[in-house]
């Protein structure tokens, strides 16, 4: 039996300016906390490499946006930064990194607290990054397409569904991943009931098309689904788009349909911890050609690795 991964917890507490360290092996959350009973809260997940948290500002901004969508008042960004530093330094001191795999997952969580609480419950959690994510970014993944059950305009019609917020209500996303694994796949790409490509349960969809320009040169185009279709704005997608544009790629924002994925030269799922995972097959159909996929993945992964 394997031992659980080491966890370091730091709670945001007005009495502790740099955060209050807590023992992760002992109970810390009230059973009546609305994060546990209702999934009423928001979170962000970041990757720290060599002690440096990637894209922290983008994650803090998105956390604030998610909280605003829930009418949830959360600690200020400076408080989060201090607590993150305390948790990260604590983990590295207690569990010194070994070798090249110096990757830690930094998770920020805020709940509405117990019923009637004057302040939310907020904490930072630091754990080692799992080997599965590194393996998938290296070897690629097989995915299946799943109908998410609503059309691509529902976010505008029904903002209370919180489709653009990163909330704790992830039961449906996890159920989709379990369903995929029962089908022999690794992950999922959702599409809407009106046929638009959306996102993965924990990732953003990217595809590449190579096109010939009028002068015969090859144009590399990187495309992602439209954000107004009710998907979460990906911090990794946004950062990679900036880097790719600077490197000469052309960018596009949908709308995409499943056949666009099947006809693409390469497809990826991108997220903050797993990073850029090439999609080998969708519903059993091979995407692009292995050699071209490998070439494009290496180019984009190098661009993404340089993002701070």
């Amino acid at each position: 039996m394997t031992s659980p991964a080491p966890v370091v917890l730091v709670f945001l507490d007005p009495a502790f300016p740099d955060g209050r360290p807590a023992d992760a092996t002992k109970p810390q959350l009230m059973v009546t906390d609305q994060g546990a009973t209702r999934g009423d809260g928001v979170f962000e997940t970041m990757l720290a490499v060599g002690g440096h948290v990637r894209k922290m500002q983008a994650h803090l901004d998105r956390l604030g946006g998610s909280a605003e969508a829930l009418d949830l008042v959360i600690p200020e960004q400076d408080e989060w930064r201090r607590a993150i530093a305390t948790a990260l330094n604590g983990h590295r001191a207690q569990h010194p990194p070994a070798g090249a795999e110096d990757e830690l997952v930094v998770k920020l969580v805020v709940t509405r607290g117990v019923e009637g609480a004057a302040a939310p419950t907020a904490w930072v959690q630091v754990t080692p990054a799992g080997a599965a994510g590194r393996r998938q970014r290296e070897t690629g993944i097989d995915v299946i397409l799943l109908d998410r059950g609503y059309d691509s305009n529902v976010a505008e019609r029904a903002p209370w569904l919180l489709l653009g917020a990163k909330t704790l209500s992830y039961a449906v996303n996890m159920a989709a991943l379990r369903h995929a694994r029962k089908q022999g796949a690794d992950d999922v790409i959702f599409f809407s009931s009106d046929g638009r490509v959306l996102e993965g349960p924990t990732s953003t969809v990217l595809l590449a098309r190579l096109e010939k320009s009028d002068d015969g040169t090859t144009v590399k185009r990187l495309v992602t689904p439209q954000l107004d279709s009710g998907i979460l704005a990906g911090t990794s997608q946004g950062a990679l788009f900036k880097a790719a544009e600077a490197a000469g790629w052309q960018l596009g924002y949908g709308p995409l349909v499943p056949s666009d994925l099947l006809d693409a030269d390469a497809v990826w799922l991108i997220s903050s911890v797993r990073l850029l995972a090439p999609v080998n097959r969708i519903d059993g159909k091979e995407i692009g050609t292995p050699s071209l996929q490998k070439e494009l993945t290496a180019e984009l992964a190098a661009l993404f690795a340089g993002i701070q």
Side-chain angles (χ1 to χ4, degrees):
M1 182 177 178
T2 58
S3 58
V7 180
V8 167
L9 288 179
V10 172
F11 281 82
L12 280 75
D13 186 327
F16 296 81
D18 295 326
R20 174 174 57 82
D23 187 346
T25 66
K26 296 181 179 178
Q28 298 293 338
L29 198 66
M30 294 287 291
V31 296
T32 53
D33 191 291
Q34 294 177 85
T37 60
R38 296 175 178 170
D40 193 354
V42 296
F43 76 101
E44 282 291 323
T45 306
M46 308 180 292
L47 183 68
V49 180
H52 171 76
V53 178
R54 291 164 51 93
K55 304 185 281 85
M56 185 188 297
Q57 187 61 54
H59 283 284
L60 290 174
D61 289 344
R62 191 169 67 178
L63 183 74
S66 295
E68 184 177 358
L70 270 70
D71 296 319
L72 181 62
V73 178
I74 67 172
E76 298 292 332
Q77 290 190 359
D78 283 347
E79 297 176 67
W80 284 108
R81 289 180 180 275
R82 292 194 297 270
I84 290 167
T86 298
L88 192 56
N89 292 336
H91 197 288
R92 288 171 64 82
Q94 296 171 37
H95 312 283
E101 296 179 357
D102 186 6
E103 295 184 354
L104 294 173
V105 178
V106 182
K107 190 170 186 178
L108 316 181
V109 185
V110 195
T111 79
R112 205 171 296 276
V114 299
E115 192 79 40
T121 305
W123 70 91
V124 179
Q125 172 182 314
V126 177
T127 56
R134 288 191 294 272
R135 183 175 62 252
Q136 289 186 355
R137 76 177 75 137
E138 292 168 359
T139 62
I141 55 177
D142 290 350
V143 308
I144 58 174
L145 297 170
L146 289 183
D147 187 343
R148 205 170 199 176
Y150 54 75
D151 65 56
S152 58
N153 297 313
V154 69
E156 183 178 354
R157 295 198 314 273
W160 52 86
L161 293 178
L162 305 174
L163 296 180
K166 196 172 179 70
T167 74
L168 293 174
S169 303
Y170 254 51
V172 171
N173 291 17
M174 297 301 100
L177 287 175
R178 289 193 298 273
H179 176 76
R181 287 159 190 161
K182 290 175 183 176
Q183 311 307 310
D186 303 297
D187 214 317
V188 166
I189 293 176
F190 288 122
F191 63 90
S192 66
S193 59
D194 55 342
R196 297 288 179 85
V197 173
L198 298 174
E199 59 190 344
T202 62
S203 58
T204 303
V205 178
L206 302 176
L207 67 81
R209 295 178 180 139
L210 271 59
E211 305 164 356
K212 288 292 184 181
S213 65
D214 293 339
D215 62 7
T217 58
T218 299
V219 175
K220 291 178 288 189
R221 189 181 303 277
L222 193 60
V223 187
T224 197
Q226 290 176 297
L227 292 179
D228 61 3
S229 58
I231 64 175
L232 184 71
T235 62
S236 296
Q237 170 268 315
L240 181 58
F241 261 41
K242 290 180 181 178
E245 185 175 33
W249 286 67
Q250 293 190 6
L251 309 179
Y253 293 87
L256 297 174
V257 296
S259 61
D260 292 321
L261 300 176
L262 299 174
D263 295 337
D265 291 299
V267 176
W268 300 271
L269 293 184
I270 188 171
S271 55
S272 292
V273 174
R274 186 172 55 183
L275 305 181
L276 191 67
V279 175
N280 296 329
R281 282 168 288 273
I282 297 177
D283 287 345
K285 181 183 183 296
E286 188 172 281
I287 303 303
T289 59
S291 59
L292 181 56
Q293 182 208 64
K294 185 176 181 180
E295 176 187 334
L296 295 175
T297 299
E299 181 178 349
L300 290 177
L303 291 174
F304 196 41
I307 293 168
Q308 298 297 312

